[in-house]
Amino acid sequence: MTVHGESEAGILRCFGKQLRLLRTRRGLTRAELGALLGYGEDMVASVELGRRIPRAEFIDRADEALEAGGLLVVMKEEVARARYPAFFRDAAKLEGEAVELHVYANQAVPGLLQTEEYARAVFGVLRPPLDEEVVDQRVAARVARQMIFHRRPSPLISFVIDESVLRRPIGGRAVLRGQLEQILLVGGMRTVEIQVMPLGQDENAGMAGPFTLMETNDARRIGYVEVQNVSRVHSDRDPVRALEAKYGTLRAQALTPRKSAEYVEKLLGEL
């Protein structure tokens, strides 16, 4: 992973240069292309300069309007992957294909549950600091991942979250309050279960850190571990089985989903 998101920014700059070349060859201004695509001039300028990540429909419309013959469309997947830091891209693709997803968190609220304000606060405290444009891109990407909750058929998703995470006021008390409300809202979905690991629990199988378990629609079982921007996707059965055993123990040690919701409500009342 390069500093300040240089890897993903390079992909966006490359796409932007292609767009600008095609636009100028057609003799169009940014405002004129924006009008054809249904976007403003500022949006076109930001994409051409590699400052914003275009949505899939923007790319499709631009390819058609500029008669690019698929030159822009072929970059659509890479542009979409550029929303994520390099170390997370493989995991993000697997997450999007998951039919089951299980997450243990003891550092911050899992990305799939984060509000926009909480996510911005998390990225804002990273050191070395990220560029503002990179922060904007990563916040948007994190929020976009949450479409998984509305996918059909819905994947089965569970979370075990350490109580310390729910008490840590990243971004301030107002941000934490909104985040706890979001956890209660998502936890009320039929396909989602959220459990809290109490600080008072004298047994905790998750002391080695956070991890994610996934099963894809082709029955692959995957483990994902990340620390200090160093990540690893496990597909071999032995390490995945070890993480599965650990997660099963964590669920047994944590509060039940109903008790967990009551506990989150209690924490909200303390803010």
Side-chain angles (χ1 to χ4, degrees), residues 44-265:
V44 176
S46 294
V47 172
E48 287 189 350
L49 294 171
R51 294 176 177 170
R52 291 189 65 177
I53 301 174
R55 294 180 180 273
E57 58 265 27
F58 178 101
I59 298 174
D60 290 336
R61 293 176 190 174
D63 195 275
E64 182 178 356
L66 297 172
E67 298 180 359
L71 185 62
L72 296 178
V73 170
V74 76
M75 297 181 67
K76 188 159 54 174
E77 183 174 344
E78 283 302 310
V79 169
R81 282 164 58 83
R83 296 181 299 178
Y84 307 109
F87 65 83
F88 184 66
R89 287 180 195 156
D90 290 340
K93 185 175 187 299
L94 290 166
E95 180 184 89
E97 301 170 355
V99 295
E100 286 193 30
L101 190 68
H102 307 288
V103 182
Y104 171 63
N106 65 354
Q107 295 175 346
V109 172
L112 285 175
L113 294 173
Q114 289 181 10
T115 64
E116 182 174 342
E117 294 78 13
Y118 186 94
R120 189 169 298 280
V122 168
F123 288 126
V125 299
L126 294 180
R127 292 296 181 271
L130 298 173
D131 294 338
E132 282 300 318
E133 291 171 1
V134 175
V135 171
D136 289 342
Q137 291 168 4
R138 293 197 181 174
V139 170
R142 185 154 291 185
V143 172
R145 286 169 56 202
Q146 296 170 9
M147 289 302 295
I148 193 172
F149 294 118
H150 306 289
R151 213 177 67 196
R152 295 293 180 270
S154 300
L156 298 175
I157 305 177
S158 73
F159 301 88
V160 176
I161 308 173
D162 195 86
E163 180 187 345
S164 62
V165 170
L166 304 178
R167 289 188 175 274
R168 189 172 296 125
I170 295 176
R173 291 167 64 89
V175 171
L176 180 58
R177 183 180 298 110
Q179 181 59 73
L180 294 179
E181 291 171 347
Q182 171 80 348
I183 287 172
L184 287 174
L185 181 65
V186 177
M189 296 181 175
R190 288 192 311 110
T191 55
V192 179
E193 290 188 335
I194 300 177
Q195 294 177 252
V196 174
M197 174 66 76
L199 283 172
Q201 171 61 272
D202 59 3
E203 291 184 324
N204 185 328
M207 299 303 292
F211 61 90
T212 299
L213 291 164
M214 295 173 270
E215 182 172 343
T216 63
N217 56 12
D218 58 355
R220 285 184 297 158
R221 301 172 84 167
I222 309 292
Y224 174 72
V225 179
E226 175 193 319
V227 62
Q228 295 294 334
N229 289 0
V230 177
S231 66
R232 183 164 183 179
V233 174
H234 294 283
S235 57
D236 291 343
R237 191 66 197 122
D238 285 348
V240 174
R241 184 184 292 113
L243 289 173
E244 289 173 340
K246 183 177 295 187
Y247 193 74
T249 303
L250 284 165
R251 295 201 71 175
Q253 294 169 339
L255 298 175
T256 66
R258 183 173 63 82
K259 290 292 185 182
S260 295
E262 292 172 357
Y263 199 82
V264 174
E265 290 174 350

